[in-house]
Amino acid sequence: MLQIGVFGGAFNPPHKGHERLARHFADKLALDKVLVIPSLLPPHKDGAHLASGADRITMCRLAFAGDDRFEASAAEIDRGGKSYTYDTLLALRGRWPGARFYLIIGADMLASFKTWRRWEDILAMCTLCAAARDKRGLPGDTGIDAVVSDLPPFEVSSTAIRDRIKNRQDISGLVDDEVARYIAVRGLYLD
């Protein structure tokens, strides 16, 4: 049975924390494929400071280049409108019938998971995988069954990276070198 990881988010920009988390679960669960899916309009975030969908999908391709298990997918960008995980999983199940899906999320998303559109249906379609994003760790008992990672958090956020770029500070070590070059060449996040 094909085992597919689904790793969604704004990826505005994708950073080393995203890479570590996705690679960790790919290794831990022996996933055949991991789809990295930038959202067009994240339902839980303000979209005012989003780079274009084309820029974010390109940065995801650069961040995960060199590992054939990873595929940056424009599924949510191409679909248009708000990006709901339920809709994405439904489409993926149509494309890969019989595959087993693993939804990879951070602790912040686990804490709010029961507010997601059709969250119970999402749990019926996939195995939830969660990891801490910072030293606070995972939320207490959420009542949600998930594969929990023991990976130590890499404390970085896309917001902090955008702030560093805007203030003309170094972002090396926080994002892939090719992603940093792409951001500089395109002049992203300067305003």
Side-chain angles (χ1 to χ4, degrees):
M1 176 186 298
L2 190 65
Q3 301 207 110
I4 301 175
V6 178
F7 188 39
F11 300 114
N12 190 42
H15 55 66
K16 293 285 188 180
H18 293 134
E19 293 175 47
R20 284 179 73 240
L21 177 61
R23 286 195 169 95
H24 170 74
F25 277 116
D27 293 341
K28 178 180 177 114
L29 301 171
L31 300 178
D32 299 299
K33 176 189 285 289
V34 178
L35 300 169
V36 180
I37 308 175
S39 54
L40 179 64
L41 297 171
H44 296 95
K45 294 184 179 180
D46 174 20
H49 302 289
L50 281 177
S52 74
D55 283 329
R56 291 181 293 119
I57 192 76
T58 298
M59 288 188 284
C60 285
R61 287 184 179 125
L62 293 169
F64 290 94
D67 189 332
D68 292 340
R69 297 175 298 176
F70 290 86
E71 176 187 325
S73 167
E76 292 187 354
I77 292 168
D78 291 346
R79 187 171 62 234
K82 285 203 175 196
S83 299
Y84 292 107
T85 301
Y86 170 79
D87 298 330
T88 301
L89 286 170
L90 208 55
L92 295 176
R93 286 176 52 154
R95 182 172 173 194
W96 287 287
R100 185 167 183 185
F101 291 95
Y102 297 83
L103 181 62
I104 301 167
I105 62 173
D108 54 335
M109 293 291 106
L110 180 61
S112 67
F113 190 77
K114 287 185 177 179
T115 68
W116 288 24
R117 182 172 176 250
R118 300 188 73 165
W119 67 271
E120 292 170 303
D121 294 326
I122 292 170
L123 292 177
M125 291 192 279
C126 67
T127 299
L128 198 60
C129 305
R133 287 187 50 155
D134 58 34
K135 63 185 171 210
R136 290 175 294 183
L138 289 163
D141 184 19
T142 60
I144 297 172
D145 193 24
V147 175
V148 176
S149 168
D150 57 358
L151 181 71
F154 184 82
E155 293 197 43
V156 63
S157 73
S158 295
T159 302
I161 292 168
R162 290 192 308 274
D163 288 343
R164 290 183 71 83
I165 294 166
K166 185 176 180 179
N167 294 315
R168 311 242 189 244
Q169 296 173 318
D170 184 27
I171 60 168
S172 60
L174 301 176
V175 299
D176 179 87
D177 291 344
E178 290 301 314
V179 171
R181 274 192 273 285
Y182 184 85
I183 290 169
V185 167
R186 299 278 295 162
L188 300 178
Y189 310 119
L190 291 173
D191 55 352

